[in-house]
Structure formats: C-alpha cells, structure tokens
Amino acid sequence: MSSENSSIGDAVSGRGEGASNEDEDLYYIPERRPSLVLGPTPMDTSHWHFVDQALSPAESYGSLNSDDPEEKEDEEGSSTRVQLERAESFSSCYSIDSNDCEKIILREKSRDDTAEPSNKLELIQDPDEIKHPSLTLKFTFKALCDTLKKLQMDEFSTFKWKLWTHFPQPFSGSQSMDIVDLVDRLLETFGCEKSVVITRTVLVTMSKNKLAEFLQTLCTKNEVRYELRTALKKKFAEELIMEGETMPLDDIYTDLCISSAADNGPNIEHEIMKIDKLNTKRTPDKLLSLAETLSQEMLNSCYARLMFLHGVAGSGKSMFIKKLVLDWALERSHQHFSFIFPLALRELKQFESSEISLEEIIWTLYPETKRLKMESLKGEDNALFIFDGLDEYTEEFDFAQTEIHSDSSSRVSLNINLVNILRGRLLSSSMCLVTTRPQVNPFAPWDAHYDELEVCGFSDANKDEYFKKRFKDPNQAATVIQYVKSLKSLHIMCHLPLVCTLVADECQRIFRETRSVAKLPRSITYMYTKLLLTLVRHLRKTRAPDLLSPEAEQNFLLELGKLAFTMLEKGQFKIASTDWPESIAEEAVVRSGLCTQYTITPYVLFYEDMVSFIHPTVQEYLAALYAYLTSRNQEKNIFDVKPKFSMYPKGHKIMDLYKAAMEKSLHSQDGKLDMFLRFLFGMACKTNQELLHPFLKSPAKAGDLTRDCVSLIKKVKEPSASSNLQRCLEELEM
C-alpha cells in the first residue's frame, strides 16, 4: 500500500508493509481499510477549537496514584492500550489498541493463574487433613462423578456457575461441560484432596449438606476399605505348613474343585473294588474356579443372599476362604464387593458369654472398621460376610423359638445373631457365605432361601501341583510325587488337601533327618493313623465343648469301627441316616469328621438322607482298628472262629485274629477284605503301634508281633493272593 493512501491510523500503529514480518506466533490481523474520503475540497477547520487530548483509561487510573508522568508511559509502546483478559478465550492472547487498531501481544500464563480464585472460596476443611493413601486419582474421579450425578440439571448448572465465580480462569467454559469434563478439570487443576474439599464446600453453599455428607462418607468408606485390606493382607499372607514354619499363601495354595451343586457324596474311587455310583440328589453341572465362585455373573444368576459352602473334613474349605479374601485384599478378584469380613466361628466363641451386637463384633475383630456403620452398607455397597466353620459352633440352632432380630447395632447373644443370619433376617442386604462340614441337624430353617456349593478337593493334576509348590527342591518334589503314585490308595486319598499336607510333612521330616533322598515308607496304614489322630484329636478340639476322656474316645472308636466292620462284611458303604446309631451320629459326622451325610434320590421325587465314611478306605481302616483294639484290649477275636490252617506257628493270642482274618480274606471272592487285611497287618508294625499307643491298655512286644505276622504271610501259598500279601509285607515294612 502506498503512503499516499495510508490512513492516520496506519501511521500510528506502525504496521503497513512491515506487518508481514511480525513473529510467526502472532495472529494474522488484516490491514486497515483507507480512511473515508468526504469530498474533493478540503474541510474548513477555521472555526474548530483545539483541546488537549484526553488521557487513556489506563493513564487516567494511574494518575490517581502517581503524579510522575514517566510512570504513566506503557513499557510496550502505546500509552493508550488497555489489556482485556479472559481465561480460555481468544482475547486472553492479545490486547486491543485504543487507536482502533488490533495488535497481538502474547501473554505468558503462570501456573498460579489457574489455581488462584478471583473471588476466594472459604474451604470447610483443610485439604491436608484428608490426605490418605486410599485417595487415589481413580477413586476420587469416581466419587466426584457419583456425587454430582445426584444433582438435578438446574442444580448442576448452579454448581458449575459457582465454580466459575470462584475460579473464573479454569472454569470459564464450564457451562458447556458435562460431569466427566468438569471432574476432569477439577482434578487437573487442584488435585485429589483439594478437589474433594472444593466440591463439598460448593455443595454446602448450595444447601446440599446431605450430598456433601454423601461424598464425605464415600471417602471415609474408602479409607476404611484401604485399612481393612492392609489388615487382611497381614493376616492371610502367610500359611503355617509345619510347626514354626510358614510359607506365603500364594506360593502354597493350589486350586480346588468347587462344585456348583451340593450333595455329591464322598469320593468312592477304590484301588481294588468297583463301588456303584451314588444316586445323589444333584449332579454337578459345572466345576468353578476361585474367581468364578461368587463372581458378579454368578450373583446375577441367583437371588439368594445366603450361600453355603459344604465339604468333608480336610477338603480345603478354610484354605479356599483365605485365598479368596487375600485376592480381594490384593485387588485381584471379587472387586464387586466393597467390603469382605471373614469371621471364623472359632474367633466368635469369645463372645458366647456376653451380649454383643454384630457391629461390635466386627469392630472388635477388625478395629480398622470402627468408623464404619453396618447400616451404611446398603444400596450400592455390596458387602460379603464369611462365616467360616459353622460346624465348630456347639450350641443348638432353634429356628422356631429364637426371637427375630434384624438390627446389627443392638446387643443380643451370639446365638441369636447367628440364628437370624441363617434365617436371612440379619444382614439381609449383604451377601453371606457360610462354610461347614455336612450337618446332622438342620443348619437353616426349612423356609430359608439359600444356594449351596461343595468343595470336592484336589484333582489328580492339583495333587502334583501341590507337591511341586510345597517342595522347593524339584528333585524332592518329583520323589514325593512318584512315591504317592506308587501307592494307589494313598494317591486316591490325596484328593483331600489334608492328606496331602500330612504326606508332605512326613516326607519333609525324613528329608531333613537323612539330609538326602531317603527311602520313603511303604506303609499306608501309618498315614491313615496320622489322619485319624489329626481328625479325632487335633481338629476335634474346636468342635466339641470338652475333650473326650481316653476311655470315651476309645469307646467311640470301637463303636464306630464295629459299624464299619458290619457294613464291610455286607458290602455296604453307605447307610440310611435313620439306621445310623444316634449316639455317635454327631460325633462321627460333625466333630471328628470321619463320616459325612448327604441326600440321594433312589426314586423320582423321593429323597433320602444317607451317611457314609469320608472314603471307603477310611471305613476299611476303622474296621481293622476295631478288630485290632478289641483283640489287644479285650482279648477277643471279632471273627470268633478257630482258624483252619494248622500249619501256622503258635504266637501271641492276637495271632488268632490275624489267622482268622487271613482265612476270611483268602475266601473272599470280591476282595472286600483285602484292604482290611492290609490295614490290620500294618497295625502290627512298630511305627504304627507307637502312634496307637494312647488307645492301647497294655503294650506288646512289637518285634515279636511283626516277626510272627511275616512268618504267617510267607507260609501262605495262594497264587491269587500273592499280590495283596506282598502289600501286607510292605505294611510291615518288610
């Protein structure tokens, strides 16, 4: 553009052709149009009166504070420029020249510009007071979104307007933001702690106190959940494997077979006999993994809030619960539960003598939850209460006469609390998982609505995996696996994790004593005796109000063994619960765990409760124990016949029992007494006699008995029985 056609404004602004050389970061401003030409003749200005030029607004305001003309001059050049600032707008990047010419002036934003409000908001709480490891970005984002979603449309607009009023720069465009964008801007600008406090403060200024309390409650629950998880990690991270020795639960836990249906009956796999399949009430349609058990999908498909997890003694119920809780605490699975409270019945026994509320029980066992009210665990909060070991509770459940109780904060007896939990009256809005051995007496009222699962123990692959995890030395693990597989009955019994543990303990003891790969014992009778002592003595302590005296204990084993022997002679491995001796039913099924109860359907729409031993070999072992103790303590032969084999040498009186048992077994076509005979000879071994010593009235010379038994076996020349007799010699460690 030529200088002749340029306007006065062009000369003042200093643009013209040089404007194209401005910095590349500046916005492009088009050139000023030429001044309007009013006519061909110059304007007459003779009558004009000239006055001093008025000061610019900036200089006018400055003159109120300073008389120094040098301070009035703008450092950027023009003294008549007024800067207009607006956050998140184009005008915040440039200024307007008062000479009617736009000029780009880049403006540097400091970090404080977005954080300092123009109209300061008085916070109701110091953000530093709510600092907590649980206040993560993920949680805060969700909590703020859940809170703001409860506002109406007009209320949300008011909330955004108030934010803009106090923080105009970051929220200048807030009216067009949705909840996600607004919360994102809050967290980006202020961080987690301050965002929560600002949100609560603004809600209070809007008279939304309940909503502010709702947000505070979310944060409190989150803190409690974090502290509860920390406590549960510490409680369940380690598992005791031997006296004075622990292993991380993650390192030792092996997957269990969880059936989606109960009443499957015991494992009936047998080394010698083929036992008919049980006509159980239901057939398992699916095996569940730990993650699938009580998953969100599973809960959506069932409407019961009460779930029973059944399993025979030693099937791994408690281990399964520990792993489930640990995985929740480590945020691996079951995150649809806001809280999980594992409550072992053996821990609840301390509250039997006093009245206490369920809320106080939780606070006592988990002090981290004292800020949590049970009544607040409703609605969106999905809590899981786990009552592990219902069979360890010794008081009777009277569902007909016990008072109805549904208040978790009022004090009543422990029995009333448990009865109403099983009724579904207490904790009706939460999920309850109850683990128990099969019960003789009803464990829930007839009209209760509940679902059932069953722990079936280890599969064959799980057995190997357990030993590999238990033994760090691969060579030792391989030796143990090979050893267990060489003894078929022992390998079958290892479907119970308890048996796997006993075998691993014994092998580990031998490895440590010999400090080499030693020869492991071939006697399975020894392991069955250890299983018996573990169930009857160690685990029974938590399930009986008082310990059995030696005489009572011996009488129980004799009565149970007599029943086992009678059934074995008839080829029976189950019996109707109505035919089961009532005097030993509770002791056998619930307390000692040597037997189990389940339901079968022999006919359509006909259900019958049955009782059997936890495995056929346990029945055969107890039958042999009955024969052995009767002969040793009472000098009676249960066969009550004279042996026909005259070639047998004379020996102890107990040898009459072995001679009769040998004759019975040799004449048995179906092999129903073969395992019985093996166990009976195994009890003559020195190591087994040492374990059985508490049940014996008078000691015997173990060496003489063992030699006589070996001599008895070697004199038999029956080819068909050679295999089983060789096994009998192994039981004698010969």
Side-chain angles (χ1 to χ4, degrees):
M1 184 183 295
S2 65
S3 60
E4 295 178 354
N5 296 329
S6 64
S7 66
I8 299 175
D10 289 330
V12 173
S13 64
R15 295 197 180 181
E17 294 180 358
S20 61
N21 297 325
E22 291 287 331
D23 189 69
E24 292 180 358
D25 292 337
L26 302 181
Y27 289 93
Y28 171 72
I29 304 299
E31 292 182 330
R32 243 182 113 80
R33 64 192 176 113
S35 300
L36 182 64
V37 179
L38 298 177
T41 59
M43 183 178 293
D44 183 11
T45 61
S46 60
H47 62 279
W48 285 14
H49 299 280
F50 292 92
V51 296
D52 294 335
Q53 183 180 2
L55 296 173
S56 67
E59 291 180 329
S60 299
Y61 300 146
S63 66
L64 298 177
N65 300 323
S66 175
D67 295 332
D68 187 356
E70 295 180 359
E71 295 180 1
K72 301 176 184 178
E73 187 166 342
D74 188 271
E75 295 178 358
E76 297 294 331
S78 175
S79 63
T80 61
R81 187 177 67 248
V82 178
Q83 293 186 358
L84 303 178
E85 296 181 357
R86 284 290 183 269
E88 300 298 326
S89 66
F90 178 75
S91 61
S92 64
C93 300
Y94 64 91
S95 63
I96 304 299
D97 195 295
S98 62
N99 289 324
D100 195 25
C101 178
E102 294 180 348
K103 180 179 179 181
I104 302 303
I105 296 178
L106 288 179
R107 181 173 146 296
E108 295 183 1
K109 294 184 179 181
S110 66
R111 184 166 183 172
D112 296 336
D113 291 342
T114 58
E116 288 296 330
S118 60
N119 182 14
K120 189 174 182 181
L121 180 67
E122 294 292 336
L123 301 180
I124 61 176
Q125 188 179 13
D126 185 356
D128 290 338
E129 294 179 5
I130 66 170
K131 280 188 176 180
H132 195 273
S134 65
L135 198 61
T136 60
L137 184 63
K138 179 180 178 181
F139 166 77
T140 309
F141 182 86
K142 185 177 185 304
L144 293 178
C145 288
D146 291 345
T147 302
L148 297 180
K149 284 177 183 177
K150 296 182 179 293
L151 290 172
Q152 300 295 330
M153 290 284 292
D154 57 336
E155 293 172 341
F156 183 54
S157 297
T158 303
F159 181 86
K160 292 189 289 185
W161 179 82
K162 284 184 174 290
L163 278 180
W164 175 81
T165 301
H166 296 292
F167 308 98
Q169 293 180 11
F171 298 102
S172 61
S174 61
Q175 288 303 320
S176 62
M177 295 182 183
D178 60 9
I179 291 177
V180 173
D181 291 336
L182 188 69
V183 172
D184 188 52
R185 182 61 57 81
L186 266 170
L187 293 172
E188 180 184 3
T189 306
F190 302 108
C192 295
E193 292 82 4
K194 195 170 183 179
S195 296
V196 171
V197 176
I198 288 175
T199 303
R200 289 177 51 216
T201 304
V202 174
L203 289 173
V204 169
T205 62
M206 295 171 56
S207 299
K208 290 291 181 180
N209 295 335
K210 289 187 176 179
L211 202 52
E213 291 176 4
F214 170 77
L215 179 56
Q216 178 61 36
T217 301
L218 288 181
C219 294
T220 301
K221 288 181 179 179
N222 188 52
E223 292 177 10
V224 172
R225 178 165 45 248
Y226 179 89
E227 293 168 3
L228 176 62
R229 278 180 167 147
T230 302
L232 293 176
K233 291 175 194 175
K234 184 177 180 180
K235 183 175 182 179
F236 295 112
E238 298 287 327
E239 178 67 17
L240 181 66
I241 58 172
M242 290 185 71
E243 187 176 353
E245 183 178 349
T246 61
M247 282 184 68
L249 181 61
D250 285 337
D251 292 349
I252 192 64
Y253 179 80
T254 307
D255 290 335
L256 293 160
C257 297
I258 309 297
S259 171
S260 59
D263 287 322
N264 293 295
N267 183 352
I268 57 174
E269 184 183 1
H270 198 274
E271 178 180 349
I272 299 174
M273 293 182 292
K274 183 174 178 59
I275 302 174
D276 294 335
K277 184 179 179 181
L278 301 172
N279 297 317
T280 52
K281 179 181 177 182
R282 308 185 190 100
T283 55
D285 55 348
K286 185 179 180 182
L287 290 179
L288 305 174
S289 65
L290 185 145
E292 293 172 329
T293 306
L294 295 180
S295 63
Q296 185 65 65
E297 181 182 359
M298 180 179 179
L299 297 180
N300 292 337
S301 63
C302 68
Y303 301 98
R305 305 300 293 174
L306 180 62
M307 182 83 69
F308 284 95
L309 182 65
H310 300 281
V312 300
S315 59
K317 301 181 294 297
S318 295
M319 183 72 78
F320 176 82
I321 294 301
K322 291 177 182 179
K323 178 62 174 174
L324 186 150
V325 173
L326 183 62
D327 281 357
W328 175 82
L330 294 172
E331 301 184 50
R332 294 171 178 165
S333 64
H334 298 88
Q335 295 307 295
H336 50 284
F337 291 115
S338 300
F339 296 92
I340 291 185
F341 301 100
L343 306 170
L345 266 294
R346 65 184 64 176
E347 294 179 337
L348 298 185
K349 287 184 178 182
Q350 60 182 297
F351 307 113
E352 285 183 330
S353 59
S354 60
E355 292 191 347
I356 189 170
S357 67
L358 180 62
E359 196 172 55
E360 291 173 323
I361 291 176
I362 300 293
W363 292 346
T364 302
L365 296 178
Y366 300 101
E368 303 82 9
T369 63
K370 286 187 176 180
R371 291 184 293 163
L372 192 66
K373 298 291 185 181
M374 293 298 106
E375 62 183 12
S376 68
L377 298 179
K378 296 180 181 179
E380 297 178 0
D381 287 314
N382 193 10
L384 172 62
F385 292 82
I386 302 176
F387 297 89
D388 184 26
L390 186 66
D391 50 286
E392 297 183 20
Y393 186 70
T394 56
E395 290 189 33
E396 183 180 353
F397 294 134
D398 189 351
F399 297 107
Q401 302 297 327
T402 304
E403 65 178 89
I404 295 176
H405 174 67
S406 59
D407 186 2
S408 60
S409 60
S410 63
R411 294 184 173 184
V412 292
S413 67
L414 178 63
N415 184 271
I416 293 177
N417 276 312
L418 292 176
V419 167
N420 283 279
I421 288 171
L422 298 175
R423 280 174 173 166
R425 296 280 185 170
L426 194 57
L427 300 176
S428 58
S429 62
S430 300
M431 189 73 194
C432 293
L433 176 64
V434 181
T435 70
T436 180
R437 291 178 180 176
Q439 297 283 311
V440 174
N441 299 317
F443 48 76
W446 65 272
D447 58 345
H449 185 41
Y450 59 87
D451 285 323
E452 295 176 288
L453 303 173
E454 185 168 351
V455 182
C456 302
F458 286 155
S459 64
D460 286 349
N462 296 147
K463 300 170 189 177
D464 294 350
E465 183 183 355
Y466 173 83
F467 291 120
K468 290 177 182 177
K469 289 185 174 183
R470 177 66 186 272
F471 293 92
K472 299 298 183 182
D473 186 343
N475 294 329
Q476 291 183 351
T479 300
V480 174
I481 292 172
Q482 184 180 4
Y483 161 70
V484 171
K485 288 183 176 180
S486 67
L487 302 172
K488 188 172 181 180
S489 290
L490 184 60
H491 185 253
I492 293 172
M493 275 300 291
C494 279
H495 77 280
L496 295 177
L498 176 60
V499 177
C500 285
T501 301
L502 295 175
V503 172
D505 290 348
E506 183 64 21
C507 293
Q508 193 165 357
R509 181 188 63 81
I510 294 174
F511 290 150
R512 287 179 177 177
E513 289 179 355
T514 59
R515 298 188 179 276
S516 62
V517 181
K519 183 179 179 181
L520 299 176
R522 302 292 300 172
S523 172
I524 63 171
T525 310
Y526 178 76
M527 297 310 306
Y528 275 76
T529 304
K530 294 197 73 171
L531 175 64
L532 173 71
L533 295 175
T534 301
L535 293 175
V536 173
R537 293 198 158 185
H538 177 63
L539 297 182
R540 186 189 179 280
K541 292 179 181 178
T542 59
R543 292 168 174 81
D546 50 19
L547 296 177
L548 288 176
S549 64
E551 184 178 356
E553 186 177 59
Q554 187 178 129
N555 290 336
F556 162 69
L557 291 177
L558 287 174
E559 187 172 359
L560 185 62
K562 182 178 181 179
L563 178 64
F565 180 74
T566 302
M567 293 172 59
L568 186 62
E569 280 194 313
K570 297 178 181 179
Q572 291 182 334
F573 292 95
K574 63 180 183 293
I575 187 172
S577 60
T578 53
D579 298 331
W580 191 269
E582 187 176 352
S583 59
I584 61 171
E586 184 77 14
E587 184 69 40
V589 175
V590 180
R591 294 177 182 173
S592 69
L594 292 168
C595 302
T596 183
Q597 182 169 312
Y598 53 96
T599 303
I600 64 171
T601 53
Y603 312 105
V604 178
L605 298 179
F606 179 77
Y607 303 125
E608 186 176 10
D609 289 333
M610 306 297 292
V611 178
S612 68
F613 294 87
I614 59 175
H615 192 264
T617 55
V618 174
Q619 176 181 340
E620 292 164 324
Y621 171 84
L622 289 171
L625 180 64
Y626 160 69
Y628 183 76
L629 293 180
T630 301
S631 178
R632 285 290 303 272
N633 295 338
Q634 302 175 13
E635 296 186 356
K636 293 181 180 178
N637 186 347
I638 62 170
F639 294 103
D640 197 24
V641 292
K642 297 291 184 181
K644 297 179 180 179
F645 298 94
S646 58
M647 75 286 295
Y648 295 145
K650 294 182 179 180
H652 305 292
K653 291 183 178 180
I654 195 173
M655 289 307 300
D656 293 339
L657 170 67
Y658 282 96
K659 295 172 186 178
M662 178 81 75
E663 181 181 1
K664 284 280 187 181
S665 177
L666 292 175
H667 287 80
S668 176
Q669 298 298 324
D670 53 5
K672 63 183 179 182
L673 293 179
D674 285 1
M675 289 300 299
F676 166 84
L677 188 65
R678 284 172 60 180
F679 285 127
L680 187 60
F681 276 113
M683 291 173 189
C685 182
K686 179 180 179 181
T687 54
N688 282 297
Q689 289 190 54
E690 291 174 352
L691 290 178
L692 294 172
H693 177 71
F695 306 124
L696 302 176
K697 289 185 177 180
S698 59
K701 294 181 179 180
D704 294 343
L705 181 59
T706 302
R707 285 193 298 270
D708 289 345
C709 288
V710 171
S711 176
L712 179 64
I713 293 173
K714 289 184 176 181
K715 287 190 176 293
V716 177
K717 304 297 182 182
E718 292 283 345
S720 60
S722 60
S723 176
N724 192 56
L725 292 178
Q726 180 60 38
R727 295 284 185 171
C728 292
L729 289 175
E730 291 179 355
E731 293 300 319
L732 291 166
E733 297 183 357
M734 299 300 292

Short mmCIF file of all heavy atoms in Angstrom, two decimals, residues 14 56 90 139 159 196 305 367 375 396 522 594:
data_model
loop_
_atom_site.label_atom_id
_atom_site.label_comp_id
_atom_site.label_asym_id
_atom_site.label_seq_id
_atom_site.Cartn_x
_atom_site.Cartn_y
_atom_site.Cartn_z
N GLY A 14 1.98 1.83 13.16
CA GLY A 14 3.29 1.38 12.72
C GLY A 14 3.26 0.10 11.95
O GLY A 14 4.21 -0.64 11.92
N SER A 56 -5.75 8.16 28.25
CA SER A 56 -6.34 6.83 28.10
C SER A 56 -6.85 6.34 29.44
O SER A 56 -6.43 6.83 30.48
CB SER A 56 -5.29 5.86 27.56
OG SER A 56 -4.30 5.67 28.53
N PHE A 90 -10.00 -16.23 23.15
CA PHE A 90 -9.02 -15.64 22.23
C PHE A 90 -8.49 -14.32 22.76
O PHE A 90 -7.33 -13.98 22.58
CB PHE A 90 -9.68 -15.45 20.86
CG PHE A 90 -8.78 -14.81 19.85
CD1 PHE A 90 -7.77 -15.54 19.27
CD2 PHE A 90 -8.93 -13.47 19.52
CE1 PHE A 90 -6.93 -14.95 18.34
CE2 PHE A 90 -8.09 -12.88 18.60
CZ PHE A 90 -7.10 -13.61 18.00
N PHE A 139 -10.17 -43.42 42.39
CA PHE A 139 -11.28 -43.35 43.34
C PHE A 139 -11.89 -41.95 43.36
O PHE A 139 -13.12 -41.80 43.37
CB PHE A 139 -10.81 -43.72 44.75
CG PHE A 139 -11.82 -43.33 45.81
CD1 PHE A 139 -12.96 -44.08 46.02
CD2 PHE A 139 -11.64 -42.17 46.56
CE1 PHE A 139 -13.89 -43.71 46.96
CE2 PHE A 139 -12.57 -41.80 47.52
CZ PHE A 139 -13.70 -42.56 47.71
N PHE A 159 -24.03 -25.40 40.30
CA PHE A 159 -22.73 -25.85 40.80
C PHE A 159 -21.61 -25.36 39.88
O PHE A 159 -20.58 -24.85 40.34
CB PHE A 159 -22.72 -27.38 40.88
CG PHE A 159 -21.44 -27.96 41.39
CD1 PHE A 159 -21.21 -28.10 42.75
CD2 PHE A 159 -20.44 -28.37 40.51
CE1 PHE A 159 -20.01 -28.64 43.22
CE2 PHE A 159 -19.25 -28.90 40.98
CZ PHE A 159 -19.04 -29.02 42.34
N VAL A 196 -11.86 -32.66 46.29
CA VAL A 196 -12.91 -33.18 47.18
C VAL A 196 -13.41 -32.09 48.11
O VAL A 196 -14.63 -31.90 48.28
CB VAL A 196 -12.38 -34.39 47.98
CG1 VAL A 196 -13.38 -34.80 49.06
CG2 VAL A 196 -12.08 -35.56 47.07
N ARG A 305 -29.26 -64.47 49.08
CA ARG A 305 -28.22 -63.69 49.73
C ARG A 305 -27.42 -64.54 50.72
O ARG A 305 -26.53 -64.04 51.39
CB ARG A 305 -28.82 -62.49 50.46
CG ARG A 305 -29.69 -61.59 49.61
CD ARG A 305 -28.91 -61.00 48.46
NE ARG A 305 -27.89 -60.06 48.91
CZ ARG A 305 -27.00 -59.49 48.11
NH1 ARG A 305 -26.99 -59.80 46.83
NH2 ARG A 305 -26.11 -58.65 48.59
N PRO A 367 -10.45 -53.65 64.21
CA PRO A 367 -10.55 -52.28 64.76
C PRO A 367 -10.48 -51.20 63.67
O PRO A 367 -10.92 -50.07 63.92
CB PRO A 367 -9.34 -52.20 65.69
CG PRO A 367 -8.96 -53.61 65.99
CD PRO A 367 -9.32 -54.39 64.77
N GLU A 375 -25.19 -50.18 59.13
CA GLU A 375 -26.40 -49.72 58.44
C GLU A 375 -26.07 -48.96 57.16
O GLU A 375 -26.91 -48.81 56.27
CB GLU A 375 -27.22 -48.83 59.36
CG GLU A 375 -26.50 -47.57 59.80
CD GLU A 375 -27.32 -46.74 60.77
OE1 GLU A 375 -28.33 -47.24 61.27
OE2 GLU A 375 -26.94 -45.59 61.00
N GLU A 396 -27.02 -75.24 69.97
CA GLU A 396 -28.07 -75.67 69.04
C GLU A 396 -28.75 -74.46 68.42
O GLU A 396 -28.95 -73.43 69.07
CB GLU A 396 -29.09 -76.53 69.79
CG GLU A 396 -30.19 -77.08 68.91
CD GLU A 396 -31.18 -77.91 69.69
OE1 GLU A 396 -30.93 -78.17 70.88
OE2 GLU A 396 -32.22 -78.30 69.10
N ARG A 522 6.68 -97.43 52.90
CA ARG A 522 5.70 -98.04 52.01
C ARG A 522 4.39 -98.32 52.72
O ARG A 522 3.42 -98.74 52.09
CB ARG A 522 6.26 -99.37 51.46
CG ARG A 522 7.57 -99.25 50.71
CD ARG A 522 7.39 -98.50 49.41
NE ARG A 522 6.44 -99.16 48.52
CZ ARG A 522 6.00 -98.62 47.38
NH1 ARG A 522 6.42 -97.41 47.01
NH2 ARG A 522 5.14 -99.26 46.62
N LEU A 594 -15.07 -88.04 60.49
CA LEU A 594 -14.74 -89.31 59.85
C LEU A 594 -15.84 -89.78 58.91
O LEU A 594 -15.61 -90.64 58.05
CB LEU A 594 -14.49 -90.39 60.91
CG LEU A 594 -13.23 -90.21 61.76
CD1 LEU A 594 -13.24 -91.15 62.95
CD2 LEU A 594 -11.98 -90.43 60.92
#
